[in-house]
Structure formats: C-alpha cells, structure tokens
Amino acid sequence: NVTVGQPQVAYRETILGNVDYEHKHVKQTGGHGQYAHIKFRLEPWNPGDGFQFENEVKGGRVPREYIPAVERGFIDAMTKGPYAGFPMVDIKAVLYDGTSHDVDSSENAFRTCSRTGFKGACNKAGLQLLEPVMNVEVTAPEEFTGAVSGNLCSKRGKITGMETRGKVSIITGEVPLAQMFGYSTEIRTITSGRGNFS
C-alpha cells in the first residue's frame, strides 16, 4: 500500500530566550544507585551555527570525566525537540555547577540528567518553530503580474523584486516551503498555462 501526500517539511526548533536551570537525577535501586546534579544556562545561539557547549565548572564540582557525558546528553535531547518533535538548532549550553556522588555517579547518570534537564530548560525558555523559506522566481506575461504577486503574498510570501523584459514580468520573492507544494499547477492556472517558476 502506498501512502500518498505532500512531502514533510524539514522544520527545526529553537529557544526564544536565556534560561538558568538546575536538574538533579537520583535513582536508588539495589546496589549502586544513580546520582547526577547539574546547573546550566541555555542561550539562543547564532542562526546556522547549530550547537555550542561550554564548560565553566570550577573546582571540580562536576568531575572532569563526566563533562563529555553532559554534552552528549544535551545533543541527545536536541534530536527531538519538545515543541513538535523536530531537531533543535542554534542553542548554546553553558554548564557552570553541579554535584556528584563518589559511589552513585556515573557517565550514564550525568547523560540522563542532562537530557531530561535540557528538555525542562527549553520549555522554561520558550520554544519556536523555524521553517525553511525558499527564494522563488516567477516568469509570466506582463498582464498577469498583479495576479501572480497577489497569489505569492497570500502564501505568506514577501515580494523582493519585479522587472519587465519585453512583454514578460519576472517576479522574485521569498515564500515558506510549506506553501509551495503544488505551485506548478497553481501558476499554470493563474497565467493560463503561460507562467513558470523556479
């Protein structure tokens, strides 16, 4: 059986503001338990730069061997954002304090602690969805210029330029990818089959 439908848009998620967060992971079972405690800060990072991790722990409050586990926990959590399940981008995480236990602390405990704490911090900071926006160039006979530009604006698009070459108009703009599926049929309908786009 074939599932027919529009392609999935590659949305991303990111945080809206700075947040300081503290998370403690304590689990007691027979034998060794699990203990990890971290204090960290999340900040929005430069668009397109992905993820940045900084360690500012002083005096070995979080043992050095567990720092990479904290970073890995953050990276794990970013693969599926809490807002809509899309990968997270453009976030800076700064680990600045925490505590550990001589017997119960482990890499696994710190990784779990940072993964759970990261999601809690994101919800506190506020989340937003990022969507891909495409550069669009539409070529159509001059008499259809108004109809084409009006149609692009109705798709949450932004017209960035308009020029005429002979009897042909070239309209450039930026339109969210989600609005562009099936546009080839739409542009043919608007322009009586004489318009095209890239």
Side-chain angles (χ1 to χ4, degrees):
N1 292 331
V2 179
T3 305
V4 181
Q6 291 184 347
Q8 173 67 61
V9 178
Y11 293 106
R12 295 288 180 265
E13 296 178 27
T14 193
I15 56 172
L16 283 167
N18 295 5
V19 64
D20 278 82
Y21 203 78
E22 179 178 4
H23 188 70
K24 192 178 278 190
H25 173 70
V26 183
K27 202 172 182 182
Q28 203 57 53
T29 52
H32 288 321
Q34 286 186 15
Y35 180 92
H37 173 218
I38 56 170
K39 292 181 182 180
F40 62 96
R41 183 171 63 253
L42 294 186
E43 305 168 5
W45 194 231
N46 305 326
D49 280 358
F51 174 68
Q52 174 84 9
F53 177 76
E54 279 184 19
N55 172 27
E56 291 182 359
V57 176
K58 302 278 193 294
R61 299 264 301 160
V62 176
R64 186 164 293 177
E65 64 267 25
Y66 299 141
I67 303 292
V70 173
E71 184 178 0
R72 278 199 304 276
F74 288 154
I75 292 167
D76 289 349
M78 286 180 69
T79 57
K80 194 174 180 186
Y83 184 75
F86 293 103
M88 300 194 74
V89 292
D90 306 335
I91 295 173
K92 180 181 180 181
V94 181
L95 177 69
Y96 61 84
D97 199 6
T99 55
S100 65
H101 188 278
D102 292 343
V103 178
D104 291 345
S105 286
S106 64
E107 281 191 22
N108 194 37
F110 272 94
R111 191 168 178 171
T112 304
C113 179
S114 62
R115 190 167 54 232
T116 313
F118 186 89
K119 288 181 179 175
C122 286
N123 286 323
K124 190 177 172 187
L127 291 149
Q128 68 177 348
L129 202 61
L130 304 174
E131 66 175 343
V133 175
M134 315 309 285
N135 290 323
V136 179
E137 185 179 279
V138 182
T139 310
E142 208 174 350
E143 64 264 31
F144 298 110
T145 304
V148 170
S149 53
N151 179 257
L152 288 177
C153 289
S154 74
K155 295 176 171 296
R156 297 187 287 126
K158 185 171 79 178
I159 307 293
T160 54
M162 221 177 269
E163 60 174 297
T164 308
R165 289 185 198 154
K167 292 186 176 179
V168 175
S169 280
I170 296 164
I171 300 151
T172 52
E174 296 173 352
V175 185
L177 175 62
Q179 303 291 324
M180 291 303 292
F181 297 128
Y183 187 62
S184 50
T185 308
E186 221 173 307
I187 193 69
R188 281 197 294 271
T189 305
I190 295 168
T191 61
S192 307
R194 293 154 67 197
N196 56 56
F197 80 103
S198 62

